Each structure stands twice: as C-alpha cells, then as structure tokens.
Amino acid sequence: MSEALRPLRVAVIGGGPAGIYTADILTKSEEVRSGEVEVSIDIFDRYPAPFGLIRYGVAPDHPRIKGIITALHKVLDRGDIRFFGNVDYGTDLNLAELREHYDAIIFATGAIKDASLDIPGIDLEGSFGASDFVSWYDGHPDYPREWPLNAKEIAVIGNGNVALDVARVLSKHADDMLVTEIPDNVYEGLKSSPVTDVHVFGRRGPAQIKFTPLELRELSHSRDVDIVLYEEDFEFDEASDALVQENNQVKTMMKTLTTWLTDQEESEQTASRRLHLHFLQSPVEVLGEDGKVVGIKMERNELDGKGGVRGTGDYTEYPMQAIYRAVGYFGSELPEVPFDERRGIISNNEGRVTDENGEHIPGLYASGWIKRGPVGLIGHTKGDALETITHLLEDRENLYTATEPNADALTDYLDSKGIEYTTWEGWHKLDDHEKALGAAAKDAAGEPRARVKVVDREEMKKISRG
C-alpha cells in the first residue's frame, strides 16, 4: 500500500481527557470527515484503566465532574480509536519503537507531580503534597494502601480547586463518602481520622481566589462540618471591588462567602468538625519538633490596590500536626522528549514539539497540561487539543514515515515483547466488575453502592485480560 493511500497512523500517549479529546477532535476534523485524510489512532496509557485525571485526580464525591467519563466513554465506545492500557512509554515502548509504527506521536501525559513550596520545614514528617493524597484517596494503583491520618489540626496551603478537594475530603465524615467509589482501604483510613479542624490558607483575598463556584458551594454540603470564616479577611480595595463587579463567577463566590459569614455571625456553630477558610496569609515556615510537624507560621498580607498582595511583617503561628501543599501541579519529563524544566512542560510551539533551537521535531506533538502547563479546567483541554490537531493536519504531507504502519503489526509487537496490555474491551470487564462490587456493598444508609474501585494493578490486569 502506498503512503498516499494508507491511513495516517497516530499514537496518543496518555488516556486521560487530554488524550481522548485530542484523538476525538482528529476523527471529527473536516479533513477526516470529508475523506481527504484517513486516520488510524491508538491511545496508550501506563495504567490498566483509561481516563487518567478523571479516575485518579478528581475527588470521588464530584458526581458532576466525574460525569465527564460518560462523554469520554462514548468516544472510545465508537470503536474507531483503539486503547492500550498498562503500556508505559519509555519502559515498554521507546520513541524509536513508536516511530516504526506511527507517523505522528502526540504526548498528552498531563501533570501529576506537586509543585514545590520552598519554605523551611516543608520536608518534615507530616508534610505532604496534595497530589499524593489525591492519588491515595482515588485508589491509584502505584500508591501505598495506607495513609497517615493521625492529625487533629490540619493546614491545606492553596486557594485552588485541588486545595478545596483535599480540605473537603479531610474534613468529611467517612460514612458520607460511602456513596462514592472509594475502595475499602480509603474508607477505613478516613474512618480512623481524629481530625477536628482543617484550615485552608490562601495568600490573596477572597476576590482573587481560584476556586470555581461549584467547588465552593460543595463545602456547605458536608454533614456535621461547620465552615469558619474570618471577618478581617473581607476588607476589599478598588481592584477587588472591580473584580467582583466585572466577573460573574467572582460575584457568585463572593455572594456565597458573605452569606456564610452572615450566617456564622447569627447562629451558633456546633458541628464536631470545622473547615476554616483563611485569606491574605502566606506560609513562611513549617514548624517542627523531633522531626515532625507541630505548626505553621503564616505572614499576614494586605491588598496592594493593583490586584496583588504584599506582606505586612505580621506573623501568626498555628498549631498543626499535618500540612498539605496544594500550590499547583508540575509536569514530568519524558524520555527522549525535549522538556522545559522551568515550566514543567514539553518544549513546544502551539503543540508542535521543538528542539533546543526551537525547531519543530517532525511527527512529535503535545496536548493538554504537558503542553501548556496545569492551568484551566478539564473542558479547556478541547480548545487546546484543536490547536495541536490543526497543526498536525497542516503537517500531514510530511508525516507518512512509519515503517510498520499496519495496525496488527503493533499488537504483534506488544505480544512479542510480552507486554500485558489491556484494551477497551478489557475496560468494560473492569467497569462491570467494579459495579458488581458496588452492588454487593452498602453505603451508610444501607443502600447498594454504585461501584467500588479496584486498586491493585495486578488485579486490574487480571480482570481486564480475563
């Protein structure tokens, strides 16, 4: 078959929203729909199950956001995109091997590491990265089954949605998490927690928070958890007032916060747990004794009139036995792929992977957080993927380079290497198994659960390949 007549072979590395959206947008492009270009797309993921961030990075009590899985499910259910799970780029397949089978390779591996917080004491026992905790409560197969939940007072550093997720899960009663898909080890861990107070600290004011209205409102849905606000945090400057007036999302969140503040002043708070929201405070030092966290020192900030803040030199020490930093994510370098270590992304120009001279490396592309950095919501990934796919299609005449372009050649090669890959059909088996586990279990009200997540990688493989 001549190169002009055969399908353009495309590999997508990463089976999360970015990878699946990117593959889907390619199949729906005008060039493909018109028949001008035929494509053959395979998605690879290092985990046995698909969905990446949605399965392992979103709090389990987020039914609306988890609903994105339904949309992603429909994409892969069509059958025109293949899924290969439990295949790790750089270990099971290297770049040269992929180039033998594909004309273009799109990296959509996301960003899973915690951004650093460079303050004294951050490495003390009891100080954690938020993404590690998220991976634990989401049943990530590569994380330990146990988590040290022995603190009564906990600080969460950050003012984004991940900080709220972590704070909400830490403060929520374990029985109320049984309506979700959390595995038994996570339930038992949360059940044993002696927590009474979770403090969320943000360095800017309420008008500058990075939450979304949905995330903020969800805090008030936790049973037997009081939200505690501090009146001194609600003094605004002109820049803050302008933000509230000009941005409907900010206006909505300010209305929520001020309503909670009024309710707090008018009624007694009697819950057994409290979730404190602090603004205008920056972490200075994690305090320790005998190598363990015993507190955190914060500096009071003030608004600078220009939308930012500055330190006041006024410090407060809070007793804490655990610290979680949720100050952002950072991408991980991939073997043989140029990486911008400062930004934590693959070196690229609008999705075209570039070398040290800024020149496009033919056939290599990036999409999602590993392309642009961990900013924006999951839905923003679609526009980002469209840019990458547009450039790939512009380059298509120079992309027919695979020496083994037959789709069956790839599966034969994986089999020859003994790689125990999983498939989309295997995901359906695992999906059915997790739903059956849920039906056999009970939530706190005695009702069957929707599903219970399988954690162990070997078990996931066995079920998927069985």
Side-chain angles (χ1 to χ4, degrees), residues 214-382:
L214 173 64
E215 290 272 359
L216 188 63
R217 285 195 301 269
E218 282 184 346
L219 294 184
S220 65
H221 299 161
S222 296
R223 177 185 61 85
D224 191 34
V225 179
D226 281 332
I227 298 171
V228 182
L229 300 171
Y230 297 85
E231 191 171 354
E232 63 269 23
D233 293 342
F234 289 81
E235 297 177 1
F236 299 146
D237 59 6
E238 288 185 8
S240 298
D241 287 335
L243 268 175
V244 174
Q245 295 304 316
E246 297 167 2
N247 188 307
N248 286 332
Q249 181 165 294
V250 174
K251 184 183 294 185
T252 298
M253 289 190 289
M254 286 309 308
K255 183 178 180 181
T256 298
L257 287 169
T258 52
T259 298
W260 289 349
L261 185 61
T262 300
D263 292 344
Q264 174 182 308
E265 293 169 349
E266 294 178 351
S267 59
E268 185 179 0
Q269 295 186 312
T270 59
S272 66
R273 295 180 176 179
R274 289 160 293 281
L275 200 165
H276 306 252
L277 297 181
H278 301 268
F279 302 99
L280 295 168
Q281 297 204 52
S282 292
V284 175
E285 180 182 1
V286 178
L287 307 174
E289 291 179 5
D290 300 324
K292 298 180 180 179
V293 171
V294 297
I296 190 163
K297 183 178 181 180
M298 307 293 296
E299 180 180 12
R300 183 72 183 177
N301 296 325
E302 62 182 9
L303 300 169
D304 64 5
K306 302 175 184 178
V309 297
R310 56 184 169 235
T312 64
D314 182 15
Y315 301 96
T316 303
E317 294 183 0
Y318 297 87
M320 303 285 170
Q321 299 83 52
I323 308 289
Y324 290 79
R325 68 182 188 278
V327 293
Y329 287 110
F330 201 78
S332 300
E333 186 171 1
L334 298 169
E336 303 179 88
V337 183
F339 190 71
D340 184 333
E341 294 183 359
R342 182 181 62 85
R343 299 176 61 195
I345 62 172
I346 288 175
S347 301
N348 75 95
N349 181 12
E350 296 184 345
R352 290 181 170 116
V353 176
T354 55
D355 61 19
E356 64 272 13
N357 298 317
E359 297 295 324
H360 177 215
I361 301 175
L364 299 190
Y365 299 85
S367 188
W369 279 4
I370 199 64
K371 166 191 171 183
R372 72 179 189 275
V375 293
L377 302 176
I378 292 170
H380 295 156
T381 302
K382 291 184 178 180

Side-chain angles (χ1 to χ4, degrees), residues 30-74:
E30 177 61 29
E31 292 86 343
V32 173
R33 287 191 294 110
S34 68
E36 181 183 348
V37 179
E38 184 181 355
V39 293
S40 172
I41 307 171
D42 293 339
I43 294 177
F44 294 88
D45 201 279
R46 63 182 300 189
Y47 307 121
F51 307 131
L53 174 70
I54 298 296
R55 184 172 170 92
Y56 294 124
V58 176
D61 57 347
H62 267 330
R64 237 177 85 180
I65 296 177
K66 288 282 188 181
I68 294 174
I69 283 185
T70 302
L72 301 179
H73 214 282
K74 289 179 179 178

